Amino acid sequence: MIVIPAIDIIDGKPVRLYQGDYNKKKIVGEDVLEISKKFEREGADYIHIVDLDGAKAGRLINKEIILKLAKTLKIPIEVGGGIRTYEDIKYLIEAGVSRVILGTIAIEDKALLRKALEDFGDKIAVGIDCKDGYVCTRGWLSQSKRKYIDFLLEMEKMGVKNIIVTDISKDGTLQGSNIEMIKEIKEISKIDITASGGVKDIEDIRKLKELDIYGVIAGKSIYSKTLSLKEALELTK
């Protein structure tokens, strides 16, 4: 299992939200690139980047920052938030982004998802962001009528190799990961799972590692210093 530190971007700044609420943002640093370089120095294998402005607006907003990261860092980055056209997907991958995360269009535009999978394969991941058992889209501002389990199984049938599962009610709360939800997914699916939302400390990392999943994303716990990225990386490596 790999540990993936997260950086969310609003107005060009690195932030954290509480349960996806844009009105409850906290700036966690001055420079996205400098934080990314710090994660790289500490031994991270991957960095998770979300353009929160883009997720809300439905189009890439912080493109210049993302491209700078892709060109500067030696480790791969995965990017999500507001990526809703084939042109944006192609643009990001050609610019050096290693994995593009699709959320809203994965549920709203199956034809586009299918084409992206055909052309870019495992460079495409799908974000499954859920609340009360249902998938949320458009920057978590809209709740669909699709149960996350049904949607997950559909994604697997379509050939998606990697899913990023976020329990929105846990995200940014430091209340601990939703271990039961991840365990349930692991039991019914063979897809690579990255768990996101609620990670508090090294015990969460240990519990998720025991489930033998692909990865875990940690954000607020690292910034709040309830989790040492270095310790988490040592445990999982």
Side-chain angles (χ1 to χ4, degrees):
M1 183 179 81
I2 65 173
V3 178
I4 310 174
I7 304 175
D8 294 347
I9 307 172
I10 291 181
D11 296 329
K13 297 290 186 181
V15 303
R16 298 306 299 168
L17 302 185
Y18 182 85
Q19 295 181 330
D21 189 340
Y22 283 75
N23 294 315
K24 295 179 180 179
K25 73 174 182 181
K26 180 180 180 181
I27 296 175
V28 295
E30 284 302 313
D31 189 271
V32 173
L33 180 59
E34 286 307 310
I35 292 176
S36 300
K37 286 180 177 178
K38 181 176 182 290
F39 290 153
E40 184 177 59
R41 288 194 300 270
E42 291 178 354
D45 296 306
Y46 238 102
I47 296 180
H48 178 81
I49 305 292
V50 179
D51 181 349
L52 287 177
D53 292 314
K56 193 173 184 179
R59 57 187 175 85
L60 277 171
I61 300 292
N62 293 287
K63 187 182 294 186
E64 290 184 12
I65 295 174
I66 292 167
L67 296 186
K68 185 183 291 186
L69 296 176
K71 291 176 181 177
T72 306
L73 298 174
K74 296 176 182 176
I75 59 174
I77 63 172
E78 59 182 26
V79 176
I83 305 167
R84 302 196 188 152
T85 68
Y86 180 84
E87 289 71 26
D88 278 344
I89 297 168
K90 186 171 184 286
Y91 180 83
L92 289 172
I93 291 173
E94 289 181 347
V97 172
S98 296
R99 188 183 292 139
V100 171
I101 305 162
L102 304 179
T104 298
I105 68 164
I107 197 168
E108 295 184 0
D109 192 340
K110 294 297 189 302
L112 177 53
L113 174 61
R114 192 171 289 109
K115 180 170 175 53
L117 289 169
E118 288 173 356
D119 291 352
F120 305 114
D122 59 8
K123 287 185 177 292
I124 301 297
V126 168
I128 300 181
D129 307 319
C130 52
K131 192 172 185 179
D132 301 324
Y134 291 88
V135 178
C136 293
T137 60
R138 300 188 175 275
W140 298 357
L141 300 174
S142 175
Q143 184 169 324
S144 75
K145 296 180 180 179
R146 295 295 308 276
K147 291 184 177 180
Y148 78 87
I149 286 291
D150 296 336
F151 181 59
L152 181 154
L153 293 174
E154 181 184 6
M155 292 299 96
E156 187 171 29
K157 285 181 181 178
M158 287 185 68
V160 174
K161 302 298 183 186
N162 186 298
I163 57 167
I164 297 162
V165 183
T166 303
D167 180 348
I168 296 171
S169 67
K170 293 273 190 178
D171 193 71
T173 66
L174 298 178
Q175 292 177 355
S177 303
N178 190 334
I179 302 296
E180 291 305 313
M181 181 175 75
I182 301 301
K183 187 182 294 183
E184 179 185 20
I185 293 171
K186 179 71 176 176
E187 288 173 354
I188 66 169
S189 170
K190 293 181 179 179
I191 203 166
D192 283 346
I193 304 165
T194 299
S196 173
V199 171
K200 179 184 179 182
D201 52 30
I202 198 67
E203 285 307 309
D204 280 315
I205 303 297
R206 186 172 283 111
K207 290 174 184 176
L208 290 166
K209 182 174 182 287
E210 289 173 358
L211 296 180
D212 191 30
I213 61 174
Y214 169 79
V216 55
I217 291 170
K220 188 171 183 177
S221 56
I222 295 173
Y223 298 110
S224 302
K225 301 187 185 307
T226 61
L227 175 70
S228 160
L229 177 59
K230 185 177 180 181
E231 184 182 5
L233 292 168
E234 288 173 353
L235 174 66
T236 53
K237 287 180 179 178

